[in-house]
Amino acid sequence: MKTIIPTSIITINKCQRFYGSTNKTPTCSSNCLTPTTTSPIFSPNSNLEASLLSTMFFTNLSAKNTKDTKQRALKNLPPILHAAAKDIRGLWALSTWSSRASLLLRLEHFASRHHLTQYPIGVQAAAFISNLKVAPSTKAGYCSALATTARRLGHTVPMLDMLAAAYRAVGSTTLTQAHPATRLQLFALVNAAMKKNNNNLAVGIWLAWKTASRWDDITHLTKESFLVHEQQQRFLVIQWGQTKTNRKLEFRPDSWTVVVEEDPKVGWIWELTQRTIRSLGKGELLTTTTTEALRRFMRSIPTTQSLTGHSIKRGAVATLVDAALEQRLHDPRLISLIAKHKDDLHSFPQATLRYCADKVKLALMLGTQHCTRLL
């Protein structure tokens, strides 16, 4: 299938001066940057910074069918901004970049096909989303994703915000979420991975459950992510590098998780985890299994065919809620901490966390081990 090249990838010319008023034609000579084409995503009144931001955005595309788009963006972006384009990758997790970029490309194709390019991005997005044949909850999610992207690119989207509120307000809409996994299903997956001689996948699945993590979080773990993994310590300390919540903010309370396993019946998985971590090379990822590959793997097992990658995290959180109700977990606030959710329950500002040089002691103090021992 032919790759659609978004026309928001602008061509840059050198000129002497750009007069920033958005309702004037720029006057140029030779030493500054100004766009020579207009984007359907951005109205003719879009300013230079917004156009450059869109180009930087597309340099971070990662899907195979957007390779040409990415290369064109890199070619059209001034070399002096290549470092900035690379730095903004930490804004979102890799899976978030992929989904939002895909939506933006679909929106551009829709706007071009229906001659909406003269309208602001919020109007284009409202038309695009409202004509999709998907559930209202899915439309609300698309509204949120495109609104976030548009704001990052310097736009206000009142029409899109209003449409999102309308979809969220549909009382009869049942929010579709992943089916929560159980501990039995979790170990069915672990055993199946081991039978395929994929110990790294088995350990990744187990750690996703023990740390109530999204699969994308697990795929970012390297050997250096494990601050403590020695046999005699009987606990692991994981430092998260890039998650949906913290992206690349190093000093957040949810940046560390202490993993404890107290069930002697599953001591074998603890031993396997120790060996697997030790076998990793410097900078080597724990697992290269993608979210989609994990989903296919789950479908291949009769008892887990209804699960998705997010089922593991949902099942772990549900298990901890039950433990809190049964008074086995005495501080329910730890659930949001281990799940890496943003909240106002913890009084540890970044400055305080920076002063603690021993991150292992810091992780133990934060107390996530009281959750992982129950999973």
Side-chain angles (χ1 to χ4, degrees):
M1 185 176 69
K2 185 178 179 181
T3 300
I4 298 170
I5 306 297
T7 51
S8 61
I9 305 299
I10 60 173
T11 304
I12 303 295
N13 282 341
K14 292 183 177 179
C15 57
Q16 175 96 31
R17 185 179 297 276
F18 175 72
Y19 296 95
S21 174
T22 58
N23 56 7
K24 296 180 181 179
T25 301
T27 303
C28 346
S29 55
S30 63
N31 289 330
C32 86
L33 305 174
T34 160
T36 60
T37 63
T38 301
S39 161
I41 276 292
F42 300 102
S43 68
N45 290 332
S46 296
N47 60 28
L48 177 63
E49 184 174 5
S51 297
L52 288 170
L53 274 171
S54 78
T55 308
M56 292 170 65
F57 183 93
F58 283 110
T59 64
N60 287 291
L61 295 174
S62 59
K64 291 182 180 179
N65 63 347
T66 58
K67 183 178 180 180
D68 291 341
T69 299
K70 178 177 180 177
Q71 291 302 318
R72 184 173 175 177
L74 286 169
K75 180 180 178 181
N76 291 329
L77 188 69
I80 197 67
L81 288 175
H82 283 188
K86 182 179 179 180
D87 290 343
I88 68 171
R89 293 174 192 169
L91 181 66
W92 297 318
L94 183 62
S95 59
T96 305
W97 270 110
S98 178
S99 62
R100 289 182 180 175
S102 174
L103 271 178
L104 199 58
L105 288 171
R106 290 172 62 190
L107 171 59
E108 284 206 291
H109 183 58
F110 177 89
S112 297
R113 188 169 69 250
H114 294 280
H115 309 290
L116 300 174
T117 59
Q118 71 273 27
Y119 296 106
I121 183 174
V123 177
Q124 296 177 37
F128 166 62
I129 294 171
S130 61
N131 281 278
L132 293 174
K133 303 300 182 182
V134 295
S137 58
T138 302
K139 290 183 177 182
Y142 286 173
C143 285
S144 176
L146 284 173
T148 299
T149 303
R151 291 191 183 95
R152 287 292 186 183
L153 297 177
H155 295 266
T156 55
V157 285
M159 184 178 290
L160 192 56
D161 288 337
M162 183 171 63
L163 192 64
Y167 289 134
R168 287 193 295 267
V170 177
S172 60
T173 299
T174 300
L175 184 62
T176 302
Q177 292 184 307
H179 191 278
T182 65
R183 198 166 188 262
L184 285 176
Q185 288 175 315
L186 180 281
F187 276 101
L189 291 169
V190 169
N191 289 327
M194 292 177 65
K195 287 180 180 179
K196 291 180 176 291
N197 294 319
N198 194 338
N199 290 343
N200 292 63
L201 175 59
V203 170
I205 292 171
W206 182 69
L207 287 177
W209 172 265
K210 293 291 285 187
T211 61
S213 297
R214 299 166 67 245
W215 187 250
D216 190 67
D217 301 339
I218 299 299
T219 61
H220 284 92
L221 293 178
T222 65
K223 187 181 185 73
E224 290 71 28
S225 302
F226 300 92
L227 303 186
V228 172
H229 56 85
E230 296 302 325
Q231 181 77 18
Q232 61 271 23
Q233 295 291 351
R234 303 305 299 175
F235 66 85
L236 300 174
V237 176
I238 300 175
Q239 179 167 276
W240 303 99
Q242 184 182 32
T243 67
K244 181 180 179 181
T245 301
N246 71 17
R247 291 140 189 168
K248 284 192 175 179
L249 296 178
E250 183 180 355
F251 298 100
R252 285 177 51 91
D254 55 30
S255 295
W256 301 274
T257 302
V258 180
V259 179
V260 175
E261 181 55 74
E262 296 182 345
D263 185 354
K265 295 179 180 179
V266 293
W268 54 269
I269 188 64
W270 181 264
E271 304 291 341
L272 178 64
T273 301
Q274 302 286 339
R275 293 197 305 271
T276 302
I277 295 172
R278 286 196 297 268
S279 70
L280 295 176
K282 183 178 180 180
E284 184 181 354
L285 292 171
L286 172 65
T287 179
T288 57
T289 302
T290 64
T291 302
E292 180 56 32
L294 177 66
R295 180 70 182 97
R296 291 195 299 269
F297 175 65
M298 289 174 163
R299 287 177 179 172
S300 69
I301 304 169
T303 58
T304 63
Q305 289 180 347
S306 63
L307 304 184
T308 68
H310 206 55
S311 295
I312 299 175
K313 180 170 184 173
R314 290 203 69 219
V317 170
T319 300
L320 292 173
V321 169
D322 289 341
L325 289 172
E326 297 167 3
Q327 300 297 310
R328 292 183 291 116
L329 178 63
H330 299 295
D331 188 355
R333 296 176 299 176
L334 290 172
I335 299 176
S336 61
L337 185 62
I338 193 174
K340 294 167 280 293
H341 292 155
K342 290 183 178 180
D343 67 90
D344 299 321
L345 299 175
H346 301 91
S347 57
F348 289 98
Q350 290 189 36
T352 303
L353 298 177
R354 287 177 186 272
Y355 274 90
C356 183
D358 191 329
K359 302 308 180 190
V360 173
K361 289 182 178 179
L362 175 62
L364 290 167
M365 178 198 70
L366 291 170
T368 51
Q369 64 270 23
H370 300 301
C371 287
T372 61
R373 69 180 180 83
L374 298 171
L375 293 170

